Amino acid sequence: MSNPRLRVAVLASGRGSNLQALIAARDAGALPVDFVLVGSDKAHAGALQLAADAAIPSFTLSPKGFANRLDYDLELFRQLDASGADVLVLAGFMRIIDGEALKPWVGRMINIHPSLLPKYRGLHTHRRALEAGDTEHGASVHFVTAELDGGPVIAQARIDIRPGDDEHQLAQRLLGYEHQLLPAVLRLMAAHRLTLAPPDRVELDGRALSAPLQLRNDDLVD
Ligand code: GRF
């Protein structure tokens, strides 16, 4: 009997173009996973509409009414647990998650971040790359740990910064690569090829990666 498909939950706060890319990859037969739940902290997130359009169950959990971050995060993870998800993808989820609350998910939770980590954790990554005069920019997918944007990096997409690029152009151009990078990483997880050996060793097929995988022509290479 073949293995059951990976059950994936996604958290997103915004428009959800990365979620859309994941759904499109699944629909194209390039990503053998089942999306079991989409969650958001924002009732008007575009991601929720995308989930509805794709008949994926979804929920909004507003932080209003929670006394503190931990209480909110525990309720968030209670709902994610109840979905039976194997893996959780943060696709533009714009909240810091409490380190204790996320512990049970370490090794099963990934995030996409628009910079070449460890450069530019946090916000305004495109602006910061431009201000620094970088000639190269990119996106990273990493395992989520208690450290914000600090978990072990699995894979990256690199792009050149062109003369005259502004923040918006750079963000837009990078987004197209994010939409290939995230499904490619999730595909490896669906094939059970990727593991985190705590605290920070990423393994592909049981072998430690010495550097993040790189996106080339839609595929990840060593
Ligand atoms: C992406 O740039 C992602 O890297 C970052 O947040 C943005 C989300 O965009 N974490 P979208 O909501 O997926 O369109």
Side-chain angles (χ1 to χ4, degrees), residues 12-19 90-94 111-114 126 139 175 178-179:
S13 302
R15 72 198 143 176
S17 71
N18 277 287
L19 170 64
L90 306 184
F93 187 60
M94 301 306 285
N111 178 45
I112 182 152
H113 181 75
H126 315 296
L175 199 58
E178 293 186 33
H179 295 164

Side-chain angles (χ1 to χ4, degrees), residues 8-114:
V8 177
V10 179
L11 288 177
S13 302
R15 72 198 143 176
S17 71
N18 277 287
L19 170 64
Q20 191 167 29
L22 293 175
I23 295 170
R26 181 204 61 181
D27 290 348
L31 186 59
V33 303
D34 290 330
F35 293 106
V36 294
L37 190 61
V38 170
S40 183
D41 55 325
K42 298 260 191 298
H44 298 294
L48 293 171
Q49 187 57 50
L50 292 169
D53 294 346
I56 302 169
S58 67
F59 71 101
T60 305
L61 187 65
S62 166
K64 288 193 192 112
F66 286 89
N68 54 48
R69 181 182 305 285
L70 180 61
D71 285 0
Y72 175 87
D73 289 347
L74 289 175
E75 174 57 19
L76 185 69
F77 284 112
R78 194 192 61 72
Q79 299 207 27
L80 293 164
D81 273 329
S83 75
D86 304 306
V87 162
L88 174 56
V89 178
L90 306 184
F93 187 60
M94 301 306 285
R95 283 181 58 85
I96 294 172
I97 301 176
D98 180 273
E100 274 305 308
L102 65 75
K103 257 190 190 156
W105 286 85
V106 170
R108 302 192 291 141
M109 185 182 348
I110 60 173
N111 178 45
I112 182 152
H113 181 75

Side-chain angles (χ1 to χ4, degrees), residues 134-147:
D134 292 355
T135 55
E136 191 183 44
H137 188 43
S140 306
V141 174
H142 64 93
F143 281 114
V144 177
T145 62
E147 205 180 338

